[in-house]
């Protein structure tokens, strides 16, 4: 090794020792005869002192060193004198007095500072990702990610899971996105699909008798662009045989607790056991199927209270099958009119026509709706929401899906404003009993809410021919602090039920045979009852690292427009490659 110690490991107990260090010049301070270099490696930073008088050659080399030069330093560790210690640095009690400094490699001036985390334009960060990754925040995030994956393996191995790899070159396995495809050179005109998930393969591993499988699996989905989406991402993918829903939830609950106890001593799990909300409950109480349960501020239904009101906004909405709901924001009654008006911008993008407010102030109730409501109605509303003096009620009257989306979002905004979303609190929860199917207007057919391999709740098979929209799935989502971090289901394991499901989804028998014949056939050879789940590792690590974007916890992410700015992908390929692959490019006009 070119070094005997890591920069970041040196402590008082090393004082007096001769050490050899190697790392990058984090910062350099030139005091003439004394040059101070903060030398950085993966373990941290230590101060190196180079004294012109005692080590003139070393000083001459240090004089040439600049930010991000790679140095090797031979020196002796010494305790810093009292008053010169740096309590903010783990190595701050010591410094290394250099007697020899070697430049292992110089560096161009980096396009941004490595030594602090001042914001830098993201495209510059992504173009020079190898430099961006040198920064402390990114080092910390990727190291945390490593530990998360390592602890996942430890925990699952201890629970008798087997890690099994599945191929990347497969046939389409639908998760509701478009496939990335790979042209076959050996089979002209044919394509492999890259897996949107290992879904079918892990089910086939259950048919194969492995009983407990997991994989840290890359998933590839050619989806439309969205702010925090990546065309490839990583899942903890898992499947178990001879289980019921509750068994899977318990395994995962144990895994989360394990991760937090091992890696996040500064964070608290808010509820144990994790609450289980039905989809309907989550939508009606929080306006979201991934509710942030760190705080209350639940949606309160006022529909019945105002159904008979003369106030047109309410009466009309109710008569058209709509709802009137509100959230009570504690202590916000004194928001200015302007502030209140601005809140509307948080509901309008969700289709709400407006936002009504009712402020319960010392001097009385203020509301633009007050003059349209009878005192009895105002009192009934106040009682329903249990408002105290000082509270602010925010009301949306609209169709149920609009009310849910608008108030669900507003609730999060108000939660942020009131500081109720503490990053050190982890409110894990389960959302269960999702609908099995949803109607796709465009395609004029039912589509699977989760995926076509999800089993309905057994008694709901009875609705298949009469009211498929009412069928509930044995599907569950893992939610954390307002994010969906995973989802899974108990699967169909009988061939005829799987065939029935394809039929419900408007897939003809021929199509089903062509696309999914393998799984229909496999289920005829004694497929065990089974189910599983997949957790989004990127999202999970982002939350654990207090990051809002998954790009901050991926080594080499793509931009929001799916480009790799460092590698320059996607890029054209040569004529020769195209010919080999039997492809011709046809560009749209
Ligand atoms: N394959 C599913 C997904 O990617 C997860 C599962 O059902 O296990 O969402």
């Amino acid at each position: 090794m070119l070094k005997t110690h890591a920069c970041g490991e040196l402590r008082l107990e090393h004082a007096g020792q001769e050490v050899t260090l190697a790392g990058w010049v984090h910062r350099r301070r030139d005091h003439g005869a004394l040059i101070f270099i903060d030398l950085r490696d993966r373990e941290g930073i230590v101060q190196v002192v180079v004294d012109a008088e005692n080590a003139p050659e070393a000083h001459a080399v240090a004089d040439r060193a600049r930010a991000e030069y790679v140095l090797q330093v031979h020196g002796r560790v010494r305790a810093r004198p009292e008053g010169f210690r740096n309590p903010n640095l783990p190595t701050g009690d010591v410094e290394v007095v250099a007697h020899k400094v070697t430049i292992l490699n110089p560096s161009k001036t980096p396009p941004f500072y490595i030594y602090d985390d001042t914001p830098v334009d993201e495209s510059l960060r992504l173009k020079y990702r190898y430099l961006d990754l040198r920064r402390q925040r990114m080092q910390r995030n990727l190291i945390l990610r490593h530990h998360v994956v390592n602890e996942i393996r430890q925990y699952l191995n201890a629970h008798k899971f087997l890690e099994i790899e599945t191929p990347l070159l497969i046939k389409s396995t639908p998760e509701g996105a478009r496939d990335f495809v790979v042209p076959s050179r050996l089979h002209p005109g044919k394509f492999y699909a890259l897996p949107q998930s290992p879904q079918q393969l892990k089910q086939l591993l259950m048919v194969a008798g492995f009983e407990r499988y997991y994989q840290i699996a890359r998933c590839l989905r050619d989806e439309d662009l969205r702010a925090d989406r990546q065309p490839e991402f990583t899942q903890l993918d898992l499947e178990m045989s001879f289980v019921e829903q509750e068994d899977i939830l318990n395994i995962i609950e144990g895994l989360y607790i394990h991760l937090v106890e091992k890696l996040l001593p500064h964070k608290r799990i808010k509820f144990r056991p994790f609450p289980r909300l039905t989809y309907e409950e989550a939508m009606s109480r929080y306006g979201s199927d991934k509710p942030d349960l760190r705080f209350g501020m639940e949606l309160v239904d006022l529909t019945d209270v105002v159904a008979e009101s003369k106030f047109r906004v309410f009466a009309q909405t109710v008569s058209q099958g709509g709802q009137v709901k509100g959230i009570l924001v504690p202590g916000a009654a004194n928001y200015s009119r302007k502030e209140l008006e601005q809140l509307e911008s948080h509901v309008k993008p969700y289709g709400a026509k407006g936002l009504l407010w009712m402020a319960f102030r010392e001097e009385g109730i203020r509301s633009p709706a007050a003059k349209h409501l009878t005192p009895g109605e105002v009192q009934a509303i106040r009682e329903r929401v249990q408002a105290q003096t000082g509270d602010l009620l925010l009301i949306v009257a609209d169709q149920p899906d609009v009310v849910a989306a608008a108030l669900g979002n507003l609730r999060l905004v108000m939660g942020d404003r009131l500081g109720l979303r503490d990053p050190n609190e982890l409110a894990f929860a389960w959302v269960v009993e999702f609908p099995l199917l949803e109607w796709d207007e465009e395609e004029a057919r039912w589509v699977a809410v989760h995926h076509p391999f999800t089993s309905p709740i057994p008694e709901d098979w009875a609705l298949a021919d009469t009211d498929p929209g009412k069928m509930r799935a044995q599907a569950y989502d893992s939610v954390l602090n307002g994010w969906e971090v995973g989802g899974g289901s108990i699967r169909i394991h009988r061939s005829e039920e799987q065939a029935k499901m394809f039929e419900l989804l408007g897939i003809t028998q021929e199509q089903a045979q062509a696309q999914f014949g393998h799984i229909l056939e496999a289920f005829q050879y004694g497929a065990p009852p089974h189910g599983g789940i997949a957790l989004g590792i990127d999202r999970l690590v982002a939350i654990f690292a207090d990051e809002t974007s998954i790009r901050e916890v991926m080594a080499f992410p793509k931009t929001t427009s799916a480009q790799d700015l460092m590698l320059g992908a996607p890029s054209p390929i040569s004529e020769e490659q195209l010919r080999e692959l039997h492809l011709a490019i046809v560009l749209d006009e």
Side-chain angles (χ1 to χ4, degrees), residues 175 197 199 202 221 235 237 450-451 487-489 491 532-534:
E175 294 280 359
S197 81
Q199 185 60 37
K202 68 173 170 175
R221 300 183 188 176
Q235 286 185 341
D237 191 48
H450 189 47
H451 52 54
S489 58
R491 326 297 184 188
I533 190 167

Side-chain angles (χ1 to χ4, degrees), residues 254-273:
L255 169 63
Y256 284 138
I257 293 168
H258 175 85
L259 292 177
V260 175
E261 282 176 355
K262 286 276 179 189
L263 302 175
L264 306 167
H266 54 292
K267 296 200 189 260
R268 303 174 299 280
I269 296 180
K270 183 160 176 118
F271 309 104
R272 277 169 73 171

Side-chain angles (χ1 to χ4, degrees), residues 40-175:
R40 183 190 76 235
D41 64 15
R42 195 181 87 182
E43 309 301 326
I45 294 167
V46 72
Q47 173 164 293
V48 174
V49 198
V50 202
D51 183 340
E53 212 165 294
N54 296 338
E57 280 176 33
H59 187 271
V61 178
D63 195 41
R64 283 190 284 129
R66 293 291 175 271
E68 299 309 307
Y69 272 44
V70 187
L71 302 186
Q72 186 183 44
V73 173
H74 297 275
R76 183 184 292 274
V77 183
R78 82 169 172 211
R80 293 202 208 177
E82 287 296 342
F84 288 88
R85 299 196 170 169
N86 180 354
N88 300 322
L89 206 61
T91 62
D93 288 340
V94 296
E95 59 193 359
V96 174
V97 182
H99 40 75
K100 185 170 176 213
V101 177
T102 312
I103 295 177
L104 297 178
N105 214 349
S107 168
K108 283 171 59 174
T109 305
F112 45 81
Y113 295 122
I114 308 297
Y115 62 75
D116 65 13
D117 279 330
T118 45
V120 174
D121 174 54
E122 200 183 10
S123 40
L124 197 62
R125 291 178 57 200
L126 291 176
K127 171 145 194 244
Y128 294 97
R129 189 59 159 182
Y130 47 86
L131 295 180
D132 186 40
L133 290 175
R134 284 187 191 168
R135 301 173 104 199
Q136 201 185 3
R137 165 185 177 194
M138 299 308 287
Q139 293 264 317
R140 190 199 62 199
N141 288 355
L142 289 192
I143 291 169
L144 174 64
R145 185 180 177 122
H146 159 80
H147 288 303
V148 167
V149 171
N150 178 45
E151 289 301 335
I152 287 175
R153 289 199 160 106
Q154 300 289 336
Y155 173 88
L156 291 176
N157 296 348
H159 285 81
K160 296 197 161 188
F161 282 80
L162 297 172
E163 183 170 5
I164 303 176
E165 288 170 86
T166 55
L168 281 179
L169 296 175
I170 63 166
K171 188 161 148 165
S172 181
T173 185
E175 294 280 359

